[in-house]
């Protein structure tokens, strides 16, 4: 029997909690959360609410609960060094140390790593510590992406055409970034379709889970501001409709080489999740960024498909024995749609932004799975906050059926809520396929 510590309180962690509790090892789950997640709490032996920088409290909780290993959901505790801190008291984790979490927390570390080790996937890029040379480099690019070097909660990356238009605006943003961060990364803007490849890594072996496509825009047809993710889908053939198995293999090959480079560069094995945000372009698969954790919502697509015992998978990541394990996922499609408060992700002057965060009623959701995110369970029911509330997931033999299961369940959730009805539907998928055909021309 294993005592497992889960750190995190979102829908991604609810999916992780479910995967842990499905294990034949009959593990006991102990959860450290920043805010109570009623879904995670309902299957945990014990929970502690605290902050992700309180490493002393996390260590004390882990000791008290006689934890065998920890799994870290979000990036903040990784960036705070929770893995190093738990390691200090003899508790291993599925998640990288603070130094190796630079894969996510430092865009310059990752871009320079690929460059130094000759790994394909980098777009044209430069890292600047001052404004010197920036204007000249911008003149060489057809499209500009400006990234601060550090965690920005998904809000720091500025893309020409989406967030700004002119070179002058790019220069002004670079100046702002350099006032707040040690360096700024400038990438050429890439045209194509994005996919997420969440890989398990024990430092030597990298195993991919099925690719997923996330939808960041708030509204139907990819309109409106970027959000943490409004939903996502994956397909039964473990590819995506706008790409083929070679594109998946390319993302895996890059990730395998990056894992090897990390070891050569640091002498430390990366043990955890390497989630590559890739884009399929005219000239092949390129790396947008890595995250050192599962994706949210993407974890809700892949974890429920895992046929292999997740506790065994975690042990293999920690022990470095992934090469001896056959990790299998069901050949099924999945569609995740996030239920959000109507005001979610919107500027303060948007009419929806004024809608109160309120009670929601969950009716009969049929075959769908629900993963709680920002909801509070009170005596009289579930209440939302200002963030994403519930991840609703349909799983079926094909995308069409999976989408219908998710959409039917969404309609059974009542309140001041919103979602993206287009995620996983034929018209949106066909649009993506046409876009990719145009790009490849
Ligand atoms: N799906 C975006 C993220 O997890 O960062």
């Amino acid at each position: 029997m294993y005592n497992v510590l889960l750190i995190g309180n979102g829908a991604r962690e609810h999916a992780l909690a479910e995967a842990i509790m499905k294990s034949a090892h009959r593990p006991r789950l102990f959860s450290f959360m920043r805010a109570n997640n009623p879904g995670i709490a309902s299957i945990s032996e014990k929970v502690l609410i605290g902050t992700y920088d309180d490493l002393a409290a996390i260590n004390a909780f882990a000791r008290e609960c006689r934890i065998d290993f920890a799994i870290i959901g979000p990036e903040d505790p990784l960036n705070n060094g929770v893995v190093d801190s738990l390691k200090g008291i003899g508790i291993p984790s599925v998640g990288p140390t603070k130094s190796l979490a630079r894969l996510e927390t430092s865009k310059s570390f990752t871009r320079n790593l690929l460059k130094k080790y000759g790994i394909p996937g980098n777009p044209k890029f430069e890292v600047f510590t001052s404004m010197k040379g920036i204007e000249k480099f911008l003149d060489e690019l057809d499209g500009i992406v400006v990234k601060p070097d550090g965690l920005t909660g998904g809000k720091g990356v500025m893309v020409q055409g989406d967030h700004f238009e002119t070179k002058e605006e790019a220069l002004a943003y670079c100046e702002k970034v350099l006032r707040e961060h040690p360096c700024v990364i400038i990438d050429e803007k890439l045209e194509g379709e994005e996919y997420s490849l969440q890989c398990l890594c024990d430092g030597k072996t990298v195993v991919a889970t099925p690719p997923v496509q996330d939808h960041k825009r708030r509204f139907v047809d990819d309109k409106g501001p970027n959000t943490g993710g409004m939903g996502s889908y994956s397909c039964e053939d473990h590819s995506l409709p706008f790409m083929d198995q070679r594109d998946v293999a390319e993302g895996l090959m890059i990730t395998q080489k990056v894992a090897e480079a990390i070891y050569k560069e640091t002498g430390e094995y990366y043990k955890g999740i390497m989630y590559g945000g890739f884009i399929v372009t005219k000239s092949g698969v390129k790396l947008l960024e890595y995250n050192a954790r599962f994706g949210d919502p993407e974890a809700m697509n892949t974890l429920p498909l895992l046929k292999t015992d997740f506790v065994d998978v975690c042990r293999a990541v920690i022990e470095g024995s992934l090469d001896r394990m056959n990790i299998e996922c069901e050949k099924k499609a999945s569609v995740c749609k996030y239920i959000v408060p109507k005001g979610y992700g919107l500027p303060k002057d948007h009419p929806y932004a004024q809608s109160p965060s309120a009670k929601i009623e969950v009716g009969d959701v049929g075959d769908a799975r629900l993963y709680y995110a920002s909801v509070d369970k009170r005596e009289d029911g579930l209440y939302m906050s200002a963030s994403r509330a519930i991840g609703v997931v349909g799983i079926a033999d094909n995308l069409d059926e999976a989408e219908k299961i998710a959409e039917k369940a969404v309609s059974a959730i009542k309140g001041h809520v919103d979602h993206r009805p287009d995620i996983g539907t034929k018209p949106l998928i066909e649009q993506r396929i046409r876009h990719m055909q145009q790009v490849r021309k």
Side-chain angles (χ1 to χ4, degrees):
M1 205 202 293
Y2 292 105
N3 287 358
V4 182
L5 171 64
L6 173 66
I7 299 181
N9 54 271
R12 165 185 49 207
E13 287 77 25
H14 190 183
L16 280 165
E18 182 191 82
I20 292 163
M21 293 311 285
K22 253 173 41 187
S23 166
H25 293 287
R26 300 165 58 87
R28 299 198 308 165
L29 183 65
F30 299 86
S31 301
F32 187 94
M33 302 191 263
R34 196 167 50 189
N36 188 54
N37 177 318
I40 298 174
S42 70
I43 51 177
S44 297
E45 186 102 357
K46 192 168 182 180
V47 305
L48 183 65
I49 309 296
T51 57
Y52 294 148
D53 57 0
D54 193 348
L55 302 183
I58 295 173
N59 272 11
F61 184 56
R63 267 208 181 100
E64 176 202 327
C65 303
R66 299 177 173 279
I67 293 301
D68 292 295
F69 69 87
I71 176 156
I72 323 298
E75 62 275 27
D76 282 339
L78 294 171
N79 189 39
N80 293 337
V82 73
V83 171
D84 311 65
S85 159
L86 286 167
K87 200 172 169 185
I89 56 166
I91 297 173
S93 299
V94 177
T97 57
K98 182 178 169 71
S99 166
L100 300 197
R102 280 181 295 163
L103 188 68
E104 171 166 2
T105 61
S106 170
K107 311 288 177 221
S108 65
F109 170 79
T110 303
R111 284 273 177 253
N112 285 328
L113 192 77
L114 267 77
K115 186 176 169 187
K116 179 171 173 184
Y117 290 89
I119 301 168
N122 263 346
K124 196 166 178 179
F125 83 99
E126 288 283 349
V127 179
F128 294 93
T129 53
S130 77
M131 290 301 289
K132 194 163 165 247
I134 292 189
E135 187 164 5
K136 185 167 171 286
F137 185 60
L138 294 185
D139 285 335
E140 292 171 22
L141 304 178
D142 288 333
I144 304 165
V145 180
V146 182
K147 301 176 176 181
D149 202 30
L151 282 184
T152 53
K155 294 194 173 63
V157 178
M158 292 285 162
V159 182
Q160 192 170 27
D162 288 348
H163 307 100
F164 67 90
E165 296 300 331
T166 65
K167 184 179 84 178
E168 287 64 37
E169 288 172 276
L171 284 167
Y173 184 57
C174 289
E175 271 183 27
K176 181 177 180 297
V177 169
L178 283 171
R179 279 197 296 275
E180 293 160 12
H181 299 267
C183 57
V184 62
I185 297 93
I186 302 177
D187 284 354
E188 72 174 320
K189 183 182 170 184
L190 299 167
E191 183 64 32
E193 280 294 325
E194 295 181 23
Y195 75 94
S196 307
L197 194 65
Q198 301 165 99
C199 296
L200 302 151
C201 178
D202 65 3
K204 290 170 280 185
T205 304
V206 176
V207 179
T209 62
V212 181
Q213 192 173 44
D214 185 14
H215 298 69
K216 290 203 163 43
R217 297 286 185 168
R218 175 65 177 78
F219 294 119
V220 163
D221 282 338
D222 293 327
K223 302 263 180 352
N226 271 331
T227 67
M230 291 295 294
S232 45
Y233 68 91
S234 72
C235 296
E236 67 278 14
D237 62 355
H238 295 179
S239 181
L240 290 165
F242 53 84
M243 61 189 215
D244 60 36
Q245 291 294 349
R246 278 171 304 186
D247 299 312
V248 186
E250 185 91 6
L252 176 58
M253 178 274 288
I254 293 171
T255 307
Q256 177 71 54
K257 285 184 185 300
V258 169
E260 288 161 16
I262 287 176
Y263 181 67
K264 283 187 199 142
E265 186 68 11
T266 65
E268 214 188 310
Y269 288 121
Y270 186 105
K271 292 179 181 294
I273 313 307
M274 295 173 76
Y275 148 20
F278 292 103
I279 181 164
V280 190
T281 72
K282 193 177 173 173
S283 49
V285 171
K286 303 281 179 196
L287 174 72
L288 294 172
E289 61 178 14
Y290 272 110
N291 295 307
R293 53 175 171 80
F294 278 107
D296 189 348
E298 294 95 322
M300 289 180 274
N301 296 91
T302 50
L303 287 168
L305 298 182
L306 202 57
K307 288 203 302 199
T308 316
D309 192 303
F310 188 56
V311 167
D312 287 334
V313 173
C314 292
R315 297 299 313 169
V317 166
I318 289 165
E319 286 160 12
S321 55
L322 273 180
D323 61 334
R324 277 171 269 141
M325 206 171 194
N326 183 26
I327 296 178
E328 277 188 275
C329 287
E330 284 186 77
K331 292 268 183 188
K332 288 194 184 280
S334 67
V335 173
C336 174
K337 301 196 187 213
Y338 251 122
I339 295 282
V340 301
K342 274 200 194 300
Y344 171 66
L346 300 178
K348 285 191 177 61
D349 56 353
H350 191 284
Y352 275 11
Q354 308 307 327
S355 71
S357 302
K359 194 173 172 187
I360 42 177
E361 307 279 352
V362 179
D364 178 7
V365 296
D367 292 332
R369 292 155 191 252
L370 298 190
Y371 297 104
Y372 288 157
S374 238
V375 284
D376 184 21
K377 195 168 197 166
R378 301 184 198 157
E379 267 181 17
D380 62 337
L382 278 182
Y383 285 79
M384 296 184 289
S385 74
S387 290
R388 297 178 292 184
I390 303 178
V392 178
V393 179
I395 293 176
D397 290 335
N398 57 57
L399 208 48
D400 197 37
E401 284 174 38
E403 194 277 331
K404 284 196 174 76
I405 292 170
E407 194 58 34
K408 189 162 173 246
V410 163
S411 65
I413 301 176
K414 309 283 186 211
H416 284 276
V417 290
D418 201 9
H419 76 290
R420 271 190 58 171
D422 59 339
I423 293 172
T425 60
K426 217 174 185 147
L428 191 61
I429 302 288
E430 282 170 354
Q431 200 177 305
R432 299 275 152 97
I433 295 170
R434 278 198 304 276
H435 178 223
M436 203 60 239
Q437 283 167 347
Q438 270 168 9
V439 167
R440 286 197 206 264
K441 249 185 211 163

